């Protein structure tokens, strides 16, 4: 990652993997929380064509979870010429299985009673890891043991 501050509230970050590089602008609020990022390096598929529309992910509802400051809500938005198109609204949620399962987001085996923080569509009441996260596939996950005094 190459980090280049732009001003007090934003920075440009470039991630390079081999020949591929993606650059995004990150926007922070007065409390230094990440509240939005956007990139012009993720084209939209429209009528079978990849078109260079800006892609954004506004996030909100930050709170502390296991010593980490994490957002609770996020959206996936393309900025089309006629206005923004929100194609996904997501929430970070702790999801625990009643039996061991393999997380589809990070591919780790997770013991029963261990929760993952996962990103699922807002309102997805079917997010159950043992059934493959219901309609959702985890976008990212973070292991967390829910039992007091236990260690991972």
């Amino acid at each position: 990652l190459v980090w280049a501050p732009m001003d007090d509230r934003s920075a440009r970050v470039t991630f390079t993997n081999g020949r591929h590089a993606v650059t995004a602008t990150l926007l922070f609020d007065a409390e230094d929380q990440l509240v939005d990022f956007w990139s012009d390096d993720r084209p939209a598929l429209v009528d079978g064509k990849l078109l260079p529309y800006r892609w954004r992910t506004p996030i909100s509802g930050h709170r502390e979870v296991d010593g980490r400051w994490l957002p609770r809500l996020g959206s996936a938005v393309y900025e089309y010429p006629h206005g923004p198109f929100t194609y996904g609204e997501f929430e970070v949620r702790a999801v625990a299985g009643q039996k061991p399962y393999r997380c589809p987001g990070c591919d780790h085996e997770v013991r029963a009673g261990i929760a993952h923080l996962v990103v699922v569509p807002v309102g997805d009441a079917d997010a159950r890891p043992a059934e493959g996260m219901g309609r959702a596939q985890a976008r990212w996950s973070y292991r967390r043991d829910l039992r007091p005094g236990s260690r991972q």
Side-chain angles (χ1 to χ4, degrees):
L1 291 175
V2 176
W3 185 275
M6 297 172 65
D7 56 36
D8 288 346
R9 296 282 162 237
S10 62
R12 296 214 26 104
V13 177
T14 301
F15 171 75
T16 303
N17 184 5
R19 310 176 305 160
H20 304 283
V22 175
T23 299
T25 299
L26 284 68
L27 180 65
F28 300 88
D29 67 12
E31 287 80 38
D32 295 326
Q33 300 173 133
L34 180 63
V35 293
D36 201 354
F37 70 87
W38 60 86
S39 177
D40 295 321
D41 294 340
R42 183 178 174 152
L45 184 61
V46 178
D47 296 326
K49 298 177 186 170
L50 290 175
L51 300 175
Y53 296 126
R54 175 167 285 172
W55 179 76
R56 308 179 40 232
T57 301
I59 58 178
S60 63
H62 295 76
R63 81 272 196 229
E64 186 176 330
V65 178
D66 289 344
R68 296 174 186 228
W69 197 249
L70 299 173
R72 189 179 74 78
L73 299 170
S75 299
V77 181
Y78 273 108
E79 296 293 340
Y80 289 155
H82 58 277
F85 170 63
T86 301
Y87 66 92
E89 292 181 327
F90 304 95
E91 64 182 318
V92 178
R93 184 185 322 157
V95 179
Q98 299 301 314
K99 61 184 182 178
Y101 68 98
R102 180 164 297 281
C103 176
C106 69
D107 198 36
H108 283 105
E109 188 73 25
V110 182
R111 298 183 317 264
I114 304 293
H116 256 35
L117 289 180
V118 295
V119 176
V120 298
V122 167
D124 185 0
D126 294 333
R128 291 185 297 265
E131 286 78 33
M133 302 301 293
R135 296 186 310 271
Q137 289 292 312
R139 299 294 182 213
W140 60 267
S141 62
Y142 161 64
R143 266 180 76 166
R144 176 169 78 126
D145 195 325
L146 291 181
R147 292 170 293 191
S150 59
R151 300 190 123 171
Q152 293 183 343

